[in-house]
Amino acid sequence: MVYFLVFIHIVVCLFLIGVVLLQQGKSADLAGAFGGQGSQTAFGPRGAANLLTKLTTYAAILFMLLSIALTILLSRASGDHSVLSGTSTTQSAPKK
């Protein structure tokens, strides 16, 4: 189960990287190169969300959910729950 989720996680990572790299930036036109904005809004012009934006959102949500699921599964699979569980503790008497 863990190996399958890791495989899916890697596929989602590569897909997310590809989708983000394919997107066009907000100021990718000629006016953006010289600091101009197409509108006087606070955050620049915003069009309707296209397919790449939706795919990025879904891939990011899936990436986060898979990360949380893998963290939970791997923490349950390991027997030791503490970093110091394998060390022996010795106490010395205080000097007087």
Side-chain angles (χ1 to χ4, degrees):
M1 177 74 173
V2 174
Y3 293 117
F4 177 71
L5 286 179
V6 169
F7 175 75
I8 297 297
H9 195 261
I10 292 171
V11 169
V12 169
C13 288
L14 294 175
F15 179 75
L16 186 59
I17 290 169
V19 170
V20 167
L21 289 177
L22 285 176
Q23 288 184 4
Q24 184 178 13
K26 280 199 291 188
S27 299
D29 55 352
L30 185 60
F34 299 106
Q37 291 290 336
S39 174
Q40 295 298 325
T41 59
F43 298 109
R46 174 84 179 155
N50 58 5
L51 180 64
L52 286 176
T53 306
K54 291 179 183 179
L55 287 176
T56 303
T57 303
Y58 296 141
I61 291 170
L62 187 60
F63 174 80
M64 289 181 226
L65 290 176
L66 279 172
S67 297
I68 292 171
L70 282 171
T71 302
I72 292 171
L73 284 175
L74 290 175
S75 70
R76 288 184 181 176
S78 66
D80 298 329
H81 293 288
S82 174
V83 176
L84 300 175
S85 64
T87 62
S88 61
T89 58
T90 58
Q91 293 183 356
S92 60
K95 296 182 180 180
K96 290 187 180 186

